[in-house]
Amino acid sequence: MRKVSKPYWNVSNIDEWNYFQIREQWDILDNDTSGTYCNVGENKLNSKGLEKIFFSTLKRMGLENKVVLQKINENNSVSTINLNSNGATDAVPCI
């Protein structure tokens, strides 16, 4: 009989990560007046804001540097999104 391992995460962890994602989203929307992470006046995160929350969540999950984020650009090219040491993200075109 095959042994089934327990999942690493439980419902409590997922609820906590969801809470932190929502809290971080509101923090960005309330504090980013430059338009770096959100579309000013629209109260919506832009791709940079979503990337920031994505990488923050991966860190909380213990998956930092273990998941690759790729983005399909408007011209159908693909870029890998990397997190810098200062917390900003860079898009590197895939060749």
Side-chain angles (χ1 to χ4, degrees), residues 21-92:
Q21 285 177 330
I22 292 168
R23 191 177 88 182
E24 188 167 8
Q25 176 183 346
W26 286 112
D27 286 347
I28 292 170
L29 291 173
D30 286 344
N31 298 317
D32 181 28
T33 57
S34 67
T36 303
Y37 298 109
C38 66
N39 300 327
V40 178
E42 292 183 30
N43 208 27
K44 288 182 180 180
L45 294 176
N46 60 24
S47 60
K48 290 283 188 190
L50 293 172
E51 292 164 6
K52 181 178 175 94
I53 291 173
F54 177 79
F55 284 112
S56 174
T57 301
L58 289 179
K59 186 174 182 177
R60 281 192 176 88
M61 294 174 80
L63 296 174
E64 189 172 30
N65 299 320
K66 295 180 182 179
V67 175
V68 175
L69 176 62
Q70 291 188 318
K71 172 176 143 179
I72 300 173
N73 302 308
E74 291 178 11
N75 64 357
N76 290 327
S77 64
V78 179
S79 297
T80 299
I81 309 300
N82 295 321
L83 183 66
N84 296 331
S85 59
N86 65 358
T89 57
D90 284 329
V92 179

